[in-house]
Amino acid sequence: MSTRALFGILIAAAMTVMTLAPASAVTHDKLAYLTFTGPVQVPGAILNAGTYQFRLTNPDVSRNVLQVRSNDGSIVYGMFNTIPDSRTAMTRDTVVTFRETPAGVPAAVKTLFYGGENVGYEFVYPKGGPIMRVGVAPQPPITYARTPAVEEPEVAAPVEPVWEPEPEITVETEPMPEPEPVPPAELPRTASPLPLAAAGGLTSLLVGLGLGWLRRRQG
C-alpha cells in the first residue's frame, strides 16, 4: 500500500469517534451509536457528520443484515448485507475500518467490529463498489412511512321503492253481429207411401164387393 493511501486511511479513521457502551452491554440487535466528524459512505448512502445508529435489522431471522438510522431512529439511511471479517487484535470499544478512497471523496466504511469480538461485519456495497469520484451526488435519505389507511367508500342508504298504481288498461272491442235465424231442419221421412196405397186399394175392393152384393140382392 502506498504511503499516500495509508495516510488517507489514517486520516479517515481519525475523523471517526465512537460513543457506545462496553462490550458486555451489547444488545441483542447489536445496537451501536457511531459519531462521525466528517462525511462517510455506507452502502447506498453518504452520511454527513453526526451520530447514527448501527444495528441488525432483524436479529431473530438474520444476523448479517445491518441497518443505519438517524440518532433518534426516525430515519433509515441504509439497509444492506454484510459478510464476516476478522481481526487479530480486539478492542474494548466498537470501531470501524475504512476502504481506500481518492482525496476529496468521503471515506467508505469497510468493517464494523464490536468491542470484545474478533469477527466483525464487512459491508457489501452495490455493484461497482463505493463512490470513488469527486462530485457524485449522494443518495437522498431513505424514509419509511406508514401506508395510509384505505378509506372505505361511503355506502348510500337504500332507497325504498315508491309504489305507484298500475295504469288501467282498456281494450276496445267491436260489437259482435247478431246471428241470422236458422230455419228449422226438416225431419226425415220415416214411413213409406206403400202402406197408404195398399190401404186405399183394399178400401176400394171392399166398396166394390159391397156394391156387387147389394146389386145381386136387389135383382
Side-chain angles (χ1 to χ4, degrees):
M1 181 182 295
S2 64
T3 304
R4 180 180 178 182
L6 179 61
F7 179 75
I9 295 175
L10 293 176
I11 292 297
M15 294 171 56
T16 308
V17 179
M18 273 61 69
T19 305
L20 61 156
S24 59
V26 173
T27 60
H28 179 60
D29 62 350
K30 297 284 188 176
L31 175 62
Y33 290 84
L34 304 183
T35 301
F36 301 101
T37 58
V40 296
Q41 296 186 55
V42 295
I46 293 181
L47 307 179
N48 293 323
T51 302
Y52 299 88
Q53 294 183 10
F54 285 72
R55 60 184 288 271
L56 294 175
T57 303
N58 193 342
D60 295 327
V61 177
S62 174
R63 304 290 293 181
N64 66 335
V65 179
L66 283 178
Q67 186 182 64
V68 180
R69 303 190 301 184
S70 58
N71 188 24
D72 58 0
S74 62
I75 301 175
V76 177
Y77 290 99
M79 186 166 60
F80 43 85
N81 290 317
T82 64
I83 57 177
D85 192 10
S86 61
R87 61 179 177 174
T88 56
M90 290 190 302
T91 58
R92 178 177 179 274
D93 295 329
T94 300
V95 296
V96 295
T97 61
F98 294 89
R99 290 173 179 262
E100 180 182 355
T101 56
V105 176
V109 178
K110 178 184 178 183
T111 305
L112 170 63
F113 289 101
Y114 286 90
E117 297 180 1
N118 285 329
V119 179
Y121 297 84
E122 181 178 348
F123 295 6
V124 178
Y125 284 81
K127 185 177 180 180
I131 298 172
M132 293 294 179
R133 292 182 300 166
V134 180
V136 178
Q139 176 179 320
I142 303 173
T143 59
Y144 294 84
R146 293 182 178 179
T147 303
V150 179
E151 297 182 0
E152 297 182 358
E154 297 182 358
V155 179
V159 180
E160 297 183 359
V162 179
W163 181 85
E164 295 182 358
E166 296 183 357
E168 297 181 358
I169 301 175
T170 57
V171 180
E172 295 183 1
T173 57
E174 296 182 359
M176 295 291 293
E178 296 182 359
E180 296 181 359
V182 180
E186 295 183 1
L187 297 175
R189 296 179 181 180
T190 57
S192 175
L194 292 178
L196 296 178
L202 180 57
T203 301
S204 299
L205 179 59
L206 291 177
V207 172
L209 291 176
L211 291 177
W213 181 76
L214 289 176
R215 287 177 183 172
R216 284 191 304 269
R217 189 173 181 181
Q218 289 177 1

